[in-house]
Amino acid sequence: MGRLRDRMVLLPGLVYDRHAYGKGPGRDPELLVRGVEPPSDLEKKGMQLFDDVEEEIFHHKMTSVVEEAREVYQALSISEGIITGDMNASIFTSEGDPAVVATGIYFHTLLNYAQAKYILKYYRPDPTVGLRDGDIFFFNDPTCGGVHTFDMFVTAPIFYEDLLVGWAEVGGHQGECGSISPGGFSPTATTRWEEGLHVHALRIGEHWQLRRDIFDFFLNSVRNPFVFAADLKARVATCKRIRDRVMRECQRRGPVAVMGGLRRILDTSAKLARKRLSLVPDGIYRAILFNDGVGTDEGLVRVPTTVIKEEDHMTVLVQGVSPENFKGPQHSTWHLVKASTGVYLFTYFFRGLAPNIGLLEPVEFLVEGPSIANCTEEVAHGEGTTIAAMVVQNLHVIGSKMLFSSPENLGVCAPFSRNVFINVYAGTNIYGYRTANFTGPQNGGGQGARFDMDGEHGCGFFWASVTDIGEVEESDTRLPLVTLARTTDKDFHGFGKYRGGTPCMEVSMAPPAGCLVTTRGASDRLSHNPGLFGGYAGPPNPRFIIQDTNLVELMQNSDPRLVFRQYELAKDHVIAGRYRFESSSQPTEPFQHGDVFVYSVGGGGGYGDVLERDPEAVMEDVRTNVLSIEMARDLYGVVFDPATLSVDTEATVTRRQAMRVERLQKGKPFAEFMEEWSQSQPSPEILKYYGDWPEPRVKGYRKPFWGLYDDPTPRRE
Amino acid sequence: MRAVRVTEYLDIDLVSEQWVCNRCGFEIGSAHHPYKLGLLLRQRDPREVHPVLNDHPHFNFSFDPDWIRLIEFYCPGCGTLVETEYLPPGHPLTHDIELDIEALKAKYLEK
């Protein structure tokens, strides 16, 4: 490693390159951290059978297999998350590494492999288990290599005669898992024992038949047995489809060629990733985000990210993280942080390269633990994605700064919206079966502004580019709610030279029979949607509910004042009722017919100085109702006729020049600024879960800038 | 190539090894140190930029200033808003870009 990386100081007594928990029944974290397995002798032999052209043809064929599998799985599933794309379908190498993956969600590209490796290492040689053609394994335990217990997977070995050539794997966010809150997410959970089923890698079927006794056990363990049964069968059927198509390729090319081809895909990805990295300036890059809690009890916590990039290698260092605290489910695992970075890296940094685990071969991950980013096994971690996503957002800002001067600068942009707020609706749907899940607008987050244009409105899910928000009519029948509107919103994005996209805002109400709602979220007092190069962040996103309303009456009278948008509802209170603005981390609660839920996942960050935004673009935002007249005038400095929205160009230039002069008058030189700034500090109540202030893991360590420790041996106290 | 454009608003002059404003040419400071040392800094109540939608003191779709403040960084030459940071009050700033200047010169200067 190089001289920049040598400046790192890792604190004694903490772990960085592995999990903060150790081995347990069905769990061997070493299998999660060691990266792509070295090729076996047979794989080496198979790799020799390809030239670059044949490899490309083979890769395309395998991609078509998993893409077809994705469509099969989504068509067969009746879970909202799966249908809208929160899923994956994969082919693993014979050694258990994910080689070809259809998403859905990029982090699934980089997870769920350790279970296959565990089976290979521990169960295959064990005479009480073994491994045979037609075996079906189920898993959802996050400590064994998954995300959270609500993401459920099936894997099946692909044998050609007696030779194991690979694995089929399919799964995604099914939701309900028998946790203390219906639908999976349990904001009040503080330990894993409140988060439902934890299945490591359990053989649930043989000869492609599900075992009835195990099947019944599962159905008796969840609140939505009909949905669970349908989705489990969908996963098995999809694995079978993958297996059958890979078998045909084995018949055509021979099994050794298939094994070698899958392994070669990973090597090619690693080679291309190194080439991409070598185009980026060497240096150390940093970004930081804060959260307003890890569960229902609020408290500031910190997640910084440092990237050290030298030649064709980079280290992602997550250090100075707030300690784990057992106060809620927002605790991530080491492997979830690593896998989540694929969300940014595969979409933007390594754009154009085949997304698989080979791309991360030149990337080293060091995640400080025990901490909220690398937790121990007992703590609840159902919402660890919130913490992992903070690393991803940091990496997005860092990556844009790394790429800006490189030939690959088309990927420069502010981060996607990640102020996650999910309502989980539970009850009996109009078909008469019990159900518990979220609706699609979580897949309609605002895109961050790009270096040359605005972010798209309601663009997609932070976690996955290949998702959609689903059909209103379908979610209204599958789930106990009535959707009133899906729309954009006003002033609910990051401002800048190019603005972020506004989210898809869903306004809905409880149906005549009522429903239960659990809400998980973060970013109520702050935001995880930073801007870039002077752009402002997307705004915070607390929960907004109106109870005991007169909505049904207003609708019966076709009241013309009704506007189903967050901006108007929050400001004007046209609907009579009890307005609740609160933390988005809330336990399960019953709601009555006519209670209103206002819900989105937030707006994307802005890019560049607001005073450089084209005044006509500002007016277009006003015309399309995503920007208020006040913001156009006061923040963007545009002078215009409010009746016609015609811009006074000359007056705008003068006004903006005056605003720049005001900046120069109010801005202070660094030393003067720091004299005042360094005296301030949040209250002890706010800092109760933070760790030491300001450096959570080193008492009394304070510098004008946070970063690598300049004292080679800072003491922990 | 004498200057490399590192961000939307910041160049590095590879000969003088200085951060330079891309808009007005103002020399901000040594490229071996954080560019923020040479900018003008302003702490703002984030509610000045992010509108409050309702009268709840904390949950109003803007930032809670007890938890997070907005810091704006301006070019002293032209007043361009070069960067923003959202930090808890008093939290150390972010040394966001620390380039290996020698490697940068080797990569670009002779081209």
Side-chain angles (χ1 to χ4, degrees):
Chain A
M1 299 295 179
R3 58 197 172 88
L4 295 179
R5 192 184 175 283
D6 290 344
R7 289 172 48 193
M8 266 188 335
V9 175
L10 302 181
L11 294 175
L14 298 175
V15 298
Y16 290 88
D17 61 349
R18 56 195 160 90
H19 293 74
Y21 58 82
K23 287 176 74 169
R27 178 177 70 230
D28 183 354
E30 168 60 22
L31 299 174
L32 281 160
V33 301
R34 68 186 192 195
V36 176
E37 303 294 327
S40 66
D41 290 342
L42 274 181
E43 284 178 330
K44 285 179 188 167
K45 189 176 168 189
M47 290 164 78
Q48 301 301 317
L49 300 174
F50 289 87
D51 57 21
D52 289 346
V53 174
E54 275 302 309
E55 179 190 332
E56 194 62 30
I57 293 169
F58 175 76
H59 193 172
H60 186 269
K61 171 64 75 66
M62 292 297 104
T63 301
S64 75
V65 171
V66 293
E67 292 289 338
E68 179 195 67
R70 177 175 61 193
E71 293 188 19
V72 169
Y73 184 33
Q74 290 187 284
L76 293 176
S77 173
I78 58 171
S79 281
E80 205 64 29
I82 308 302
I83 292 165
T84 53
D86 190 344
M87 46 70 65
N88 80 309
S90 310
I91 303 170
F92 294 172
T93 66
S94 56
E95 302 289 323
D97 289 305
V100 191
V101 185
T103 59
I105 292 198
Y106 276 139
F107 66 48
H108 289 315
T109 312
L110 301 162
L111 292 168
N112 309 313
Y113 55 88
Q115 293 84 347
K117 293 188 179 187
Y118 192 92
I119 294 165
L120 284 171
K121 182 173 179 180
Y122 295 101
Y123 290 162
R124 190 180 195 188
D126 188 320
T128 68
V129 189
L131 183 67
R132 292 173 290 276
D133 186 31
D135 283 351
I136 306 164
F137 289 87
F138 176 96
F139 51 85
N140 75 331
D141 187 336
T143 62
C144 299
V147 180
H148 36 214
T149 47
F150 353 124
D151 283 8
M152 302 181 191
F153 299 85
V154 160
T155 190
I158 302 173
F159 279 97
Y160 186 84
E161 297 173 350
D162 291 330
L163 182 61
L164 178 66
V165 296
W167 298 76
E169 182 265 357
V170 174
H173 191 109
Q174 182 168 327
E176 168 59 25
C177 59
S179 61
I180 56 170
S181 299
F185 288 114
S186 301
T188 59
T190 56
T191 69
R192 75 195 295 254
W193 311 116
E194 297 153 87
E195 297 189 310
L197 281 168
H198 286 74
V199 182
H200 57 292
L202 176 69
R203 184 161 59 207
I204 60 171
E206 298 168 271
H207 312 296
W208 291 105
Q209 292 289 318
L210 287 169
R211 271 181 54 173
R212 178 64 185 268
D213 53 345
I214 295 174
F215 190 62
D216 286 346
F217 161 75
F218 279 133
L219 303 197
N220 200 32
S221 302
V222 296
R223 299 175 179 87
N224 60 348
F226 181 79
V227 178
F228 192 101
D231 268 26
L232 179 56
K233 289 176 179 178
R235 284 193 290 275
V236 175
T238 310
C239 275
K240 179 76 163 48
R241 181 68 179 168
I242 292 173
R243 178 258 193 191
D244 289 350
R245 291 206 57 192
V246 173
M247 288 294 279
R248 286 211 285 275
E249 195 65 7
C250 288
Q251 287 158 1
R252 201 167 77 86
R253 290 182 183 271
V256 173
V258 170
M259 294 170 69
L262 291 173
R263 188 60 181 74
R264 193 173 156 125
I265 288 169
L266 295 176
D267 283 4
T268 299
S269 290
K271 186 173 67 181
L272 293 172
R274 288 194 181 91
K275 187 176 175 189
R276 178 71 53 91
L277 276 167
S278 68
L279 299 173
V280 171
D282 288 358
I284 302 174
Y285 304 81
R286 302 181 184 89
I288 193 164
L289 278 175
F290 303 85
N291 201 16
D292 41 21
V294 297
T296 53
D297 188 19
E298 291 187 295
L300 189 76
V301 291
R302 170 179 125 153
V303 179
T305 305
T306 301
V307 167
I308 303 168
K309 188 269 156 183
E310 287 175 285
E311 298 176 356
D312 63 355
H313 179 275
M314 74 174 177
T315 298
V316 176
L317 172 65
V318 184
Q319 186 175 38
V321 188
S322 292
E324 73 175 8
N325 56 42
F326 281 85
K327 296 296 180 184
Q330 293 177 21
H331 285 79
S332 180
T333 52
W334 186 96
H335 62 272
L336 183 58
V337 168
K338 177 182 176 182
S340 297
T341 63
V343 171
Y344 166 69
L345 293 172
F346 293 178
T347 312
Y348 295 96
F349 197 90
F350 291 131
R351 61 191 289 275
L353 307 183
N356 62 45
I357 202 165
L359 290 180
L360 295 193
E361 279 299 280
V363 185
E364 175 189 30
F365 290 88
L366 300 172
V367 185
E368 188 174 74
S371 75
I372 57 170
N374 182 3
C375 66
T376 55
E377 71 269 32
E378 295 277 326
V379 68
H381 36 248
E383 298 172 23
T385 46
T386 296
I387 304 301
M390 292 166 72
V391 177
V392 180
Q393 296 295 73
N394 287 335
L395 195 57
H396 198 135
V397 169
I398 287 169
S400 288
K401 292 176 179 178
M402 295 170 78
L403 288 175
F404 192 89
S405 63
S406 82
E408 294 293 334
N409 55 12
L410 290 177
V412 172
C413 61
F416 224 92
S417 169
R418 171 56 207 176
N419 284 347
V420 153
F421 168 159
I422 293 176
N423 282 334
V424 178
Y425 303 92
T428 302
N429 66 13
I430 63 171
Y431 295 121
Y433 65 79
R434 283 191 291 167
T435 178
N437 221 321
F438 47 74
T439 56
Q442 66 152 356
N443 295 352
Q447 186 187 26
R450 292 161 282 187
F451 76 99
D452 59 346
M453 65 178 88
D454 294 337
E456 298 289 338
H457 300 314
C459 184
F461 190 23
F462 163 85
W463 291 111
S465 49
V466 192
T467 53
D468 64 59
I469 60 173
E471 298 294 334
V472 167
E473 292 78 5
E474 291 186 16
S475 63
D476 279 5
T477 52
R478 275 194 296 268
L479 295 169
L481 82 160
V482 177
T483 304
L484 302 170
R486 285 180 176 176
T487 180
T488 56
D489 209 64
K490 194 181 286 183
D491 295 347
F492 208 57
H493 58 269
F495 311 115
K497 174 184 179 182
Y498 299 109
R499 54 139 182 78
T502 165
C504 170
M505 182 72 62
E506 180 175 278
V507 183
S508 59
M509 69 173 181
C515 63
L516 299 171
V517 173
T518 312
T519 306
R520 62 112 355 157
S523 322
D524 308 310
R525 298 170 181 262
L526 43 75
S527 172
H528 293 167
N529 304 343
L532 191 64
F533 302 146
Y536 294 110
N541 200 17
R543 181 161 96 155
F544 176 16
I545 282 175
I546 315 172
Q547 277 189 286
D548 308 325
T549 74
N550 62 342
L551 176 60
V552 175
E553 182 187 332
L554 292 173
M555 291 175 72
Q556 283 170 342
N557 295 331
S558 301
D559 194 304
R561 296 172 302 157
L562 271 179
V563 177
F564 292 125
R565 284 159 49 97
Q566 177 172 277
Y567 184 87
E568 286 81 1
L569 289 171
K571 280 179 96 76
D572 301 338
H573 290 215
V574 168
I575 299 172
R578 188 155 54 92
Y579 280 65
R580 291 172 55 179
F581 300 100
E582 55 200 0
S583 162
S584 58
S585 208
Q586 297 288 340
T588 309
E589 189 180 343
F591 289 91
Q592 307 302 317
H593 185 213
D595 290 349
V596 175
F597 314 105
V598 185
Y599 153 51
S600 85
V601 293
Y607 180 101
D609 186 349
V610 285
L611 298 186
E612 292 192 353
R613 182 158 179 79
D614 178 356
E616 292 298 341
V618 176
M619 290 300 97
E620 181 63 14
D621 287 344
V622 174
R623 259 182 228 107
T624 54
N625 230 357
V626 297
L627 190 74
S628 65
I629 279 185
E630 293 80 12
M631 297 305 287
R633 182 189 62 210
D634 300 338
L635 188 72
Y636 283 103
V638 180
V639 180
F640 57 97
D641 180 340
T644 64
L645 300 185
S646 59
V647 175
D648 183 334
T649 306
E650 199 173 321
T652 298
V653 170
T654 304
R655 166 78 179 128
R656 286 181 164 182
Q657 186 52 37
M659 290 171 77
R660 287 173 185 271
V661 170
E662 185 187 1
R663 287 174 173 177
L664 295 175
Q665 290 167 344
K666 292 190 172 174
K668 295 177 181 174
F670 185 83
E672 188 183 337
F673 174 86
M674 289 304 294
E675 202 171 322
E676 180 186 339
W677 176 254
S678 59
Q679 299 304 311
S680 52
Q681 170 174 333
S683 71
E685 174 64 16
I686 291 173
L687 292 177
K688 61 187 176 185
Y689 301 132
Y690 182 88
D692 288 307
W693 175 263
E695 189 62 36
R697 313 309 289 255
V698 185
K699 200 171 188 63
Y701 190 90
R702 186 184 184 96
K703 304 286 175 183
F705 291 89
W706 68 268
L708 300 180
Y709 301 116
D710 52 8
D711 174 351
T713 53
R715 286 186 305 116
R716 290 175 62 224
E717 293 182 24
Chain B
M1 183 187 289
R2 180 187 167 111
V4 175
R5 193 172 172 193
V6 178
T7 80
E8 175 70 26
Y9 299 117
L10 296 172
D11 295 349
I12 286 181
D13 185 316
L14 295 174
V15 176
S16 66
E17 300 186 4
Q18 293 280 311
W19 291 104
V20 177
C21 175
N22 175 272
R23 293 299 190 266
C24 71
F26 184 87
E27 284 206 353
I28 293 166
S30 169
H32 295 277
H33 299 299
Y35 64 82
K36 290 173 181 174
L37 292 172
L39 298 176
L40 296 176
L41 288 70
R42 177 185 173 193
Q43 180 193 161
R44 298 186 71 176
D45 182 333
R47 294 173 298 187
E48 293 173 20
V49 170
H50 300 279
V52 167
L53 289 191
N54 56 287
D55 56 6
H56 194 285
H58 307 298
F59 302 114
N60 49 37
F61 304 96
S62 188
F63 291 78
D64 186 332
D66 291 340
W67 292 55
I68 290 288
R69 303 282 171 83
L70 168 62
I71 303 173
E72 297 185 342
F73 299 85
Y74 306 132
C75 167
C78 61
T80 294
L81 177 56
V82 172
E83 189 59 279
T84 56
E85 280 210 66
Y86 292 75
L87 295 173
H91 188 278
L93 307 179
T94 304
H95 187 182
D96 57 337
I97 305 175
E98 186 177 353
L99 293 178
D100 183 333
I101 302 300
E102 292 310 313
L104 199 67
K105 289 169 74 170
K107 194 179 187 83
Y108 289 111
L109 197 52
E110 69 277 13
K111 293 177 183 172

